[in-house]
Amino acid sequence: MQKTSSIFFFGALLPVVMGHIGMWHPSVYGFNGDGYSIVEPLSNKGFDKWWMHGQTNNPPKNGAVLELPAGGKVTIELACNKAQTSFGGRKDGNDPCPPDTPSMHAGTPVKDNLLRGCALAIAYTNDIKKAKPEDFTVFSVNQKCVKNRYTDFQVPTGMPACNGKCICAWFWQGQESANEMYMNGFDCTITNPGKKVLSKPQVPTECKNGNGCVTGARQPMYWANNGSQNIKFSGDYFRKPAYNDNWGFKDGAQNDIFEAGSLQQTPSAEEEDGQEPPVETPAPEAPADGPTPVTVTVTVTAAGADCPAAETVTVTKRGRSNRCEHGGKRN
């Protein structure tokens, strides 16, 4: 159910529609729209409408990205309407929606035991049109979300760098609501990156009391919509999918998302410049009755019959000199 009320904003009386919570930042797809569409419920919508909240054609302006500091935290702003954020002129308060507490779907007043948490997930592609649901890995969870307007998310140490940018998404699940999920997509980048490698994300499962939880990298939970669902809901109102321990998600950074002992390969200087890396030539094997051969690399800077100018020549020395001198002569 949507509610309409009025607030004074920049000296004008504007109608403000409320009823649900969303993420607000210039990096969010649809941020520059009507101030409400990106918080609309997604229940029973087709894939093109619920995926990225149907905003893939409304990218951030001026290349806006949200920086995610590996090993640190990022604070995002949550609210029921853009007018309830700092981007809409609000200057104080930490309630995501003062005029409409039920929009948080966790009781009135909000009860901690009814909060079902939020998650941030990342896909290592820089094209939102190529990002698929199964590409996303949940890297941070806040189990008390959406209680506060300013909400902190811890970022795991060692997160690898993006290629210019990555595609990220914010996910939320309410309790006192219809069977529905919420998400917003945004452009992101990793600062202070590491060189760990993310494992392939698996589908999470319900694991009440910590029994049978899926561990390691996990996908976000897609359900209550049409198309590309990965969670089969039991139908029990009190067992809705949640970003908490009952679904295998610990509070804070998800530090188990990486492959054990793996690191990204660091490119050589030649590879970074687009050149082929040098190939090492192994030394020839020594004959059984001869001395150990020595491989010598000589850079020739003068032209000659046998050694063209500026050519690198590899020769083998077996007890005597055998190298190119200036003029191409051999001694």
Side-chain angles (χ1 to χ4, degrees):
M1 181 179 69
Q2 297 180 357
K3 295 184 179 181
T4 302
S5 61
S6 298
I7 65 170
F8 284 97
F9 176 50
F10 294 134
L13 186 64
L14 298 177
V16 178
V17 183
M18 288 164 286
H20 305 279
I21 303 296
M23 173 183 167
W24 298 93
H25 186 269
S27 64
V28 173
Y29 284 73
F31 173 82
N32 298 292
D34 59 14
Y36 176 73
S37 293
I38 67 172
V39 303
E40 289 179 334
L42 301 174
S43 181
N44 295 318
K45 290 186 180 294
F47 181 79
D48 290 343
K49 296 296 184 181
W50 73 259
W51 179 241
M52 299 296 169
H53 227 105
Q55 299 291 328
T56 57
N57 292 322
N58 297 308
K61 289 185 177 180
N62 303 317
V65 298
L66 181 64
E67 294 186 345
L68 305 171
K73 70 178 181 180
V74 61
T75 301
I76 65 173
E77 198 167 352
L78 307 175
C80 58
N81 190 285
K82 191 174 185 178
Q84 293 295 327
T85 72
S86 61
F87 304 105
R90 184 177 172 190
K91 299 185 182 305
D92 55 16
N94 204 27
D95 187 330
C97 195
D100 186 24
T101 298
S103 66
M104 290 173 266
H105 300 322
T108 305
V110 171
K111 299 177 179 64
D112 284 359
N113 67 320
L114 294 180
L115 293 166
R116 302 194 70 78
C118 303
L120 296 183
I122 189 169
Y124 276 85
T125 176
N126 55 21
D127 185 349
I128 197 169
K129 298 295 182 66
K130 294 181 179 179
K132 301 183 293 294
E134 60 270 23
D135 295 335
F136 283 79
T137 299
V138 172
F139 66 87
S140 188
V141 165
N142 186 308
Q143 294 183 355
K144 297 303 181 186
C145 179
V146 294
K147 186 176 183 178
N148 298 311
R149 176 162 68 117
Y150 292 105
T151 301
D152 292 338
F153 287 87
Q154 304 295 325
V155 183
T157 299
M159 290 281 287
C162 299
N163 181 16
K165 69 176 183 180
C166 290
I167 304 300
C168 286
W170 171 82
F171 294 87
W172 167 47
Q173 176 58 54
Q175 176 61 59
E176 293 189 343
S177 67
N179 293 338
E180 56 192 6
M181 56 161 279
Y182 303 84
M183 75 172 295
N184 296 121
F186 60 99
D187 285 345
C188 60
T189 189
I190 302 295
T191 60
N192 189 35
K195 295 179 180 179
K196 293 183 179 180
V197 177
L198 271 65
S199 301
K200 182 179 179 180
Q202 305 301 310
V203 176
T205 59
E206 187 181 20
C207 53
K208 196 158 183 161
N209 302 318
N211 298 319
C213 297
V214 173
T215 59
R218 282 145 295 172
Q219 297 176 18
M221 294 180 288
Y222 310 117
W223 72 289
N225 301 308
N226 296 321
S228 296
Q229 299 182 73
N230 63 358
I231 299 294
K232 185 176 181 180
F233 176 43
S234 68
D236 187 331
Y237 176 81
F238 293 102
R239 293 172 58 193
K240 289 182 179 180
Y243 291 101
N244 60 27
D245 292 295
N246 288 336
W247 286 80
F249 293 99
K250 300 296 183 183
D251 197 32
Q254 306 298 290
N255 295 312
D256 59 353
I257 62 176
F258 305 109
E259 293 183 3
S262 66
L263 294 175
Q264 285 183 320
Q265 295 296 318
T266 301
S268 66
E270 289 82 2
E271 290 171 319
E272 289 182 341
D273 292 337
Q275 303 175 16
E276 291 292 329
V279 178
E280 295 184 2
T281 304
E285 296 183 1
D289 57 350
T292 301
V294 178
T295 299
V296 181
T297 300
V298 181
T299 300
V300 180
T301 57
D306 299 319
C307 298
E311 181 178 346
T312 300
V313 181
T314 301
V315 297
T316 301
K317 172 178 154 185
R318 296 182 184 277
R320 63 186 180 85
S321 174
N322 185 27
R323 65 183 189 275
C324 288
E325 303 284 0
H326 293 299
K329 298 179 180 179
R330 293 185 182 275
N331 295 328

